[in-house]
Every structure is written in structure tokens, then in C-alpha cells.
Amino acid sequence: YCLGGALLSGPVKSTDLTDTIIPRKARPFSIEEMSRRHRVDVLGTSMWVATLEDTILSKLEWSGRSGGLARQREDVAELIRLGVETLDRPYLLRWAYELEVLDAWRQLDREVDPS
């Protein structure tokens, strides 16, 4: 399935590719997140996906609101691994601070990429 612009392993059927309407929140992060999305083609279906950085930030925010769900943190760790050499870390730091998930971001980033 598609997650943050990366095609992850697992079976994908064309019936899994459905339109999902996600209303954009009227806040600066959401506006920027929407402007940074890009189109990809998966199994002949064109779809919009969020950037790796924006997916990481959204998952950190969701994890914080839901009491630190392990699944969200595992997803973030995998996304960091996928983009370890290409992540826009200044962008992540800026928005992690604004979204009040900076500590969670720093902790997971250190765990995955201690360099």
C-alpha cells in the first residue's frame, strides 16, 4: 500500500485503491502538507500521496493524541528508515516543534538513525 510516497510490501489489489476524501484543516501545517503532496501511479491508478515528512508528522501527531499508540510509532520508524538519507530534517524539526511532537520526533529519529 502507499504510505508517504513509498510503496510498502504487502499484497495490493486494484480494489484496495479507492478514493478517500480527507478534508483539509484550516491550519498552516495542513495547508502546507496539501501543497507538498504529489501524484503517483499505482497499478494504473493515479493518486495523490503526502510526502514522507508530512506522513511522519501526521503519524506523530496522531500518536500523541491517542496516547502514544505503538503502531503509529512503528510506522514512523519505518518511514524514517525508508527516507533516512533524503528526509528534509529542517522541515521536520520546524513542524514537529509547531505541532508539539518534537520530543517524539527526536527520540524516534535517534533510535532509527543514531548518526
Side-chain angles (χ1 to χ4, degrees):
Y1 59 95
C2 264
L3 182 61
L7 193 59
L8 302 179
S9 63
V12 177
K13 302 174 289 212
S14 60
T15 55
D16 293 335
L17 306 175
T18 60
D19 289 329
T20 301
I21 297 172
I22 301 172
R24 179 184 53 81
K25 296 175 185 164
R27 61 182 186 156
F29 170 70
S30 297
I31 293 167
E32 188 156 352
E33 174 186 32
M34 190 66 74
S35 74
R36 290 168 38 92
R37 74 186 196 263
H38 57 277
R39 277 200 179 273
V40 297
D41 183 75
V42 179
L43 300 175
T45 300
S46 180
M47 62 181 63
W48 289 102
V49 296
T51 65
L52 211 49
E53 294 87 358
D54 292 324
T55 303
I56 287 169
L57 291 163
S58 293
K59 284 188 163 290
L60 288 172
E61 195 175 29
W62 178 257
S63 176
R65 283 195 311 255
S66 57
L69 285 177
R71 179 67 199 160
Q72 298 299 327
R73 294 176 61 80
E74 291 165 12
D75 285 352
V76 169
E78 182 61 24
L79 292 170
I80 294 169
R81 282 185 206 94
L82 286 169
V84 72
E85 295 186 17
T86 60
L87 285 173
D88 182 347
R89 282 182 163 73
Y91 177 85
L92 280 160
L93 286 170
R94 176 180 137 222
W95 283 110
Y97 174 78
E98 293 290 326
L99 297 171
E100 299 178 354
V101 295
L102 185 58
D103 291 341
W105 158 249
R106 285 185 169 154
Q107 178 186 1
L108 282 167
D109 190 37
R110 274 193 307 269
E111 288 173 13
V112 174
D113 183 24
S115 58

